[in-house]
Amino acid sequence: MKANQQRIEEHIELLSRFTATPGEGVTRLTYSPEDLQARNYIKEKMASYGLNVSEDGFGNIFGKLDGALANAPSVIVGSHFDSVPNGGAYDGTAGVVVGLEVAALFQEHKLKPTYPLEIIAMVEEEGSRFGGGLMGSRGMMGLLTEEDFNKLADKDGILATDAMTDIQLDPSKDKLRHPVTIKAFLELHIEQGPILEEKGIQVGVVEAIVGLSQLEVTVQGQAGHAGTTPMDRRADALVSAAQIIADLPLIALNEGDGTVITTGRLHVFPNGANVIPDKVVFTVDIRSGKEAHVQNAIRQVEALVRARDSGGISTSTEQLLYIAPKALDEKVRSSLKQASDALTIPYCSINSGAGHDAMVFSDFTACGMIFIPSKNGLSHCPEEWSDAGHLANGTDILFEVAKQLTEAQSL
Ligand code: GLV
Ligand code: MN
Ligand code: MN
């Protein structure tokens, strides 16, 4: 019995409907009404596959199939179910759906594992609502303190804790997951780049994930009338911000080795067509496979920002996220390759330029990831698409490895 491609397609299609931007891609922000709709769908499916469903104090969803061994650590399979604004139907969701399908296969094969199998659907991997990213996994593993979580607010000033209670989630529930309760973590994700499609290979076994940092820069100037303030008497925050942003690509290019820098979010205040902007807040996302490049680039960006501090302009930079590049577990990688071979599914090794929850878990447990091709290499946009046949084959690989890991005493 193999993964059911039709069931996978149906999950993807139904979950894609839980979007705040119908017809313009998937916008499913953490703790939004669309989060609640997707959450209810995922919980219902988990229950129908015989899993015990629970949620933690961040709203991460767990569906557990108990193991024969009492108090044994779980093999966790899954991904995140939040999205970027106007994103696609596959980023994160594909891994959650594959997790559901792995659970369905355990049920259909009537498997009673020795170690528990847990399917996970995590919140706020993208950081699209509360900033930074990887929040669900960082929170679970104790890398985001309760105090810091309680301070998190979205761009409208809505606290994460209030947004949770708005969708009947309980922030006072247990938040921490002790590493001894996790045996391994497996995630399928779409590649989000062009390599697998170009090579014509349908599975990438991930060797390592890039290091990344997200900075938030604030440029403060002086508001004024757009018609009456002479050009030489302005402290225009947007002009200064634009000059900083225009110099970022050069920092990435000079650093080299595939280092990339992006400003993807920018807020202008007060954002009136005839008002000189007095404040601009923007993000700087820095990534590289080599940690030294990430660190050098951070220092250079900070210096570039500080250099604007004059003539009525003042700046500040806050680091919202820093995570070093991570290699994934060698034994799990080789189990994934062996399973692909046994299923005669061609694979290659690949590195990830995107961040993933696996990079958080990899400091605490054995992690493995596989990628499947993304059409035209596109992701974080409505055109994002992957073949359900590839998802089904990826599910078969994860099912095999999850079966082994829930039986074997060691990895
Ligand atoms: C998540 O998609 C990330 O790489 O930021
Ligand atoms: Mn993403
Ligand atoms: Mn993702």
Side-chain angles (χ1 to χ4, degrees):
M1 210 175 326
K2 293 264 176 90
N4 182 330
Q5 186 177 324
Q6 207 184 329
R7 196 160 50 193
I8 289 172
E9 259 165 319
E10 191 175 293
H11 290 324
I12 295 277
E13 151 60 18
L14 292 175
L15 283 164
S16 76
R17 296 186 193 175
F18 304 134
T19 171
T21 53
E24 293 172 13
V26 175
T27 302
R28 189 159 56 238
L29 300 188
T30 301
Y31 314 145
S32 64
E34 297 74 35
D35 169 318
L36 180 59
Q37 290 172 311
R39 172 181 299 281
N40 286 340
Y41 180 89
I42 292 164
K43 283 162 53 181
E44 190 189 299
K45 292 298 162 194
M46 282 177 168
S48 76
Y49 300 144
L51 307 176
N52 294 315
V53 181
S54 63
E55 287 159 318
D56 67 10
F58 296 106
N60 292 314
I61 311 169
F62 304 85
K64 185 170 182 183
L65 177 64
D66 282 327
L69 215 58
N71 300 321
S74 298
V75 174
I76 302 184
V77 182
S79 192
H80 62 97
F81 70 105
D82 62 313
S83 82
V84 295
N86 304 93
Y90 295 82
D91 180 359
T93 304
V96 172
V97 165
V98 162
L100 292 176
E101 186 60 17
V102 167
L105 289 175
F106 266 73
Q107 187 183 51
E108 285 173 359
H109 287 257
K110 299 191 172 45
L111 292 178
K112 300 257 176 291
T114 305
Y115 291 82
L117 171 77
E118 271 186 79
I119 308 307
I120 191 168
M122 282 170 281
V123 297
E124 195 64 359
E125 189 268 353
E126 303 287 5
S128 297
R129 183 159 186 191
F130 298 107
L134 306 170
M135 188 193 90
S137 50
R138 284 192 299 126
M140 264 172 75
M141 302 319 293
L143 303 180
L144 173 69
T145 63
E146 180 100 30
E147 200 188 340
D148 285 341
F149 178 68
N150 288 340
K151 279 193 256 172
L152 282 182
D154 69 9
K155 67 174 174 36
D156 301 317
I158 300 172
L159 287 173
T161 48
D162 288 341
M164 280 185 81
T165 46
D166 283 348
I167 61 162
Q168 286 86 52
L169 287 171
D170 182 359
S172 72
K173 277 188 170 174
D174 271 355
K175 289 196 169 63
L176 288 183
R177 180 78 192 232
H178 199 286
V180 298
T181 67
I182 307 175
K183 186 165 186 252
F185 174 70
L186 302 174
E187 180 172 9
L188 177 144
H189 204 283
I190 55 167
E191 183 203 331
Q192 311 183 274
I195 296 171
L196 294 175
E197 188 179 56
E198 271 169 17
K199 286 189 169 172
I201 297 179
Q202 58 168 300
V203 170
V205 176
V206 180
E207 304 280 316
I209 306 178
V210 284
L212 63 98
S213 179
Q214 196 183 102
L215 308 178
E216 187 175 76
V217 177
T218 302
V219 181
Q220 184 71 54
Q222 173 61 55
H225 195 290
T228 57
T229 316
M231 292 311 285
D232 62 351
R233 297 195 43 181
R234 296 179 179 215
D236 184 327
L238 183 53
V239 169
S240 290
Q243 281 162 339
I244 295 167
I245 294 165
D247 284 344
L248 296 177
L250 199 59
I251 293 178
L253 287 168
N254 286 342
E255 208 53 47
D257 255 349
T259 305
V260 287
I261 305 186
T262 308
T263 289
R265 186 163 61 215
L266 180 137
H267 294 297
V268 180
F269 300 92
N271 213 21
N274 58 355
V275 186
I276 297 166
D278 71 335
K279 186 167 89 162
V280 172
V281 181
F282 61 94
T283 52
V284 181
D285 179 299
I286 301 168
R287 301 179 187 217
S288 174
K290 294 211 179 97
E291 186 167 20
H293 288 313
V294 180
Q295 291 178 344
N296 282 340
I298 293 172
R299 275 194 293 275
Q300 289 175 65
V301 172
E302 284 171 345
L304 183 70
V305 172
R306 269 196 311 273
R308 290 278 148 205
D309 274 335
S310 69
I313 295 287
S314 61
T315 64
S316 63
T317 304
E318 190 187 345
Q319 189 167 277
L320 300 183
L321 181 67
Y322 180 84
I323 186 154
K326 295 288 157 77
L328 298 187
D329 187 83
E330 209 179 315
K331 285 190 188 142
V332 179
R333 274 191 270 150
S334 76
S335 300
L336 291 165
K337 291 175 185 175
Q338 279 164 21
S340 308
D341 277 334
L343 290 158
T344 64
I345 302 168
Y347 67 85
C348 63
S349 294
I350 195 164
N351 287 319
S352 176
H356 297 290
D357 292 306
M359 67 197 300
V360 174
F361 292 130
S362 69
D363 282 340
F364 302 95
T365 191
C367 287
M369 275 194 95
I370 58 171
F371 283 172
I372 57 155
S374 291
K375 189 178 176 194
N376 298 325
L378 290 173
S379 182
H380 283 187
C381 57
E383 294 82 3
E384 181 181 277
W385 187 85
S386 289
D387 190 322
H390 295 164
L391 280 169
N393 285 343
T395 305
D396 288 334
I397 295 170
L398 287 201
F399 173 58
E400 280 310 314
V401 175
K403 237 176 13 181
Q404 287 163 23
L405 292 174
T406 52
E407 288 311 323
Q409 272 192 1
S410 59
L411 286 178

